[in-house]
Amino acid sequence: MPHATSPRIPPLPIDELEPDQRKLAKLGADTVIQVLARNPELMKASSDLGAYLLSQSRLLPRLRELAILRVALRCDAPYEWANHVPAALGAGVTEAEINALTDPEASWAPEDDAVLQAVDELCAAAFVSDETWARLAATRDHAEVIEVLYLVGYYRMMAGFLNSAGVAVKPGQPVLGERVEPRPAGEATPVTRPSSGRTGADGRWDITFTHPAGSKPLVLDLQTAGAAVRGSITDGRLGVTVPIVSGTVEGGHLEFTAELTEPARFDIGVTGTIDGDVFTGSVTISGGGTFPFSGTRAG
C-alpha cells in the first residue's frame, strides 16, 4: 500500500507539549503523540480509546498484540509494527509467532486463527464472513467479539493516519515484516549487593525492570504495619507517583498493587523477595505483561 515517504505533519517538539501530553509521549510511541498534539482534543479522545483497548480489554494481551501486528501487516503500517513488536514480546508473544504472522501457511490454535482471519477480512473488505463469525462466537461472548471488531477498527484507523501523515519509524526499531530474531531469556539486571545491615521492607528502593522495549527505573517507598504494605511507586521519567492501594508482607516476601490513572490507566502489581538490601521479583502491568526486576535499598 502507498504511504508518505517523509513527514507531512511535523511533530511538535517535546518541550512544547502540555505536561499531560509529555507524560503520554514518554509512555512510548512518542512521535505519534507529538504529531497528534497539533489537535489536542482529538488526541485525548483517541488516546482514551487506545488506552482502554490496551489496558482494560477483555482480550488477552498476547492475542490483542497478535491482532494489532496483523493489522499493521495488512495495512502496510511500518510505525504500528515497529512499536508493537516490543509490546507483543512483552505480552508473551514469541518471536516464532511474530514471524508466523507473515507466513500464509502458518498453523495457529483455532481461537487465534479465528481472530487473525477476522483481521484479514476486516482489512480486506470491512466485513467478517459468516464462517469466521461463527468461529469467533464459538469461543467468545458478544462483548469480546465487539472488542475484536473495535480493536481492528482502531488500528486500521491509526494505520491510515500514520501512513498518510508520514509518521516516521525511529532508527533501530523493528522493520515491518522482517524476521524477529530470538532474544536471550529475560532476566533482571544484576545488582551489586550492598550491606547496610538493615532488614525488612521499610524504606526507599531503587529498582529496574526489564522490558523488551528497554529497561525502566522505578522508586519504591515502602512502609509496613504488621502484614500490610503501603507506600508509593514513582516513575521519575514520567514524573508520576502512585500510591500502593493494597499489599501484604510475610517474612521477606512482598506482594502489592498500585493504580496508575494518569496519563493512562494501568494497574501495577509487584511480587518480590527482599534479602538484606536486595529486592528481586516481577512487575506485572495490566494489559502489558510480567517482567523481572531487581534493585537495592536506597534509604
Side-chain angles (χ1 to χ4, degrees), residues 200-218:
D202 292 74
R204 171 177 162 168
W205 298 83
D206 291 337
I207 71 168
T208 299
F209 77 85
T210 304
H211 186 279
S215 297
K216 188 176 190 63
L218 297 173

Side-chain angles (χ1 to χ4, degrees), residues 59-82:
L59 301 178
L60 292 175
R62 172 189 164 277
L63 185 56
R64 178 199 70 216
E65 292 300 326
L66 281 172
I68 294 170
L69 289 177
R70 186 76 145 214
V71 171
L73 282 170
R74 294 295 179 253
C75 295
D76 193 23
Y79 188 91
E80 204 162 72
W81 177 272

Side-chain angles (χ1 to χ4, degrees), residues 137-175:
T139 57
R140 306 194 179 281
D141 62 22
H142 289 160
E144 290 175 316
V145 173
I146 289 171
E147 287 202 10
V148 170
L149 302 178
Y150 258 77
L151 181 74
V152 177
Y154 180 83
Y155 282 96
R156 284 182 69 202
M157 174 190 71
M158 289 303 299
F161 164 72
L162 295 164
N163 289 350
S164 298
V167 180
V169 175
K170 292 182 178 179
Q173 287 189 299
V175 176

Side-chain angles (χ1 to χ4, degrees), residues 150-251:
Y150 258 77
L151 181 74
V152 177
Y154 180 83
Y155 282 96
R156 284 182 69 202
M157 174 190 71
M158 289 303 299
F161 164 72
L162 295 164
N163 289 350
S164 298
V167 180
V169 175
K170 292 182 178 179
Q173 287 189 299
V175 176
L176 179 68
E178 282 196 1
R179 179 176 175 79
V180 178
E181 297 299 330
R183 303 162 295 151
E187 296 181 355
T189 304
V191 295
T192 301
R193 181 174 292 274
S195 180
S196 69
R198 296 174 58 186
T199 60
D202 292 74
R204 171 177 162 168
W205 298 83
D206 291 337
I207 71 168
T208 299
F209 77 85
T210 304
H211 186 279
S215 297
K216 188 176 190 63
L218 297 173
V219 175
L220 309 180
D221 281 298
L222 304 180
Q223 301 96 44
T224 61
V229 177
R230 289 294 183 268
S232 63
I233 301 176
T234 297
D235 185 326
R237 186 167 178 263
L238 286 180
V240 171
T241 297
V242 294
I244 294 171
V245 295
S246 64
T248 59
V249 57
E250 183 176 352

Side-chain angles (χ1 to χ4, degrees), residues 95-155:
E95 292 87 347
E97 288 175 323
I98 294 174
N99 295 331
L101 288 168
T102 63
D103 180 2
E105 304 301 321
S107 177
W108 297 92
E111 58 271 25
D112 294 346
D113 191 59
V115 170
L116 294 176
Q117 182 62 31
V119 172
D120 292 348
E121 293 177 4
L122 286 165
C123 289
F127 178 75
V128 175
S129 68
D130 289 345
E131 178 185 356
T132 301
W133 187 275
R135 293 170 60 203
L136 283 174
T139 57
R140 306 194 179 281
D141 62 22
H142 289 160
E144 290 175 316
V145 173
I146 289 171
E147 287 202 10
V148 170
L149 302 178
Y150 258 77
L151 181 74
V152 177
Y154 180 83
Y155 282 96

Side-chain angles (χ1 to χ4, degrees), residues 249-291:
V249 57
E250 183 176 352
H253 182 76
L254 289 86
E255 295 185 9
F256 52 88
T257 302
E259 295 178 351
L260 177 68
T261 57
E262 295 292 342
R265 181 181 170 186
F266 295 97
D267 292 334
I268 304 169
V270 177
T271 300
T273 300
I274 291 175
D275 181 7
D277 291 330
V278 174
F279 192 9
T280 57
S282 61
V283 174
T284 299
I285 301 172
S286 60
T290 298
F291 314 99

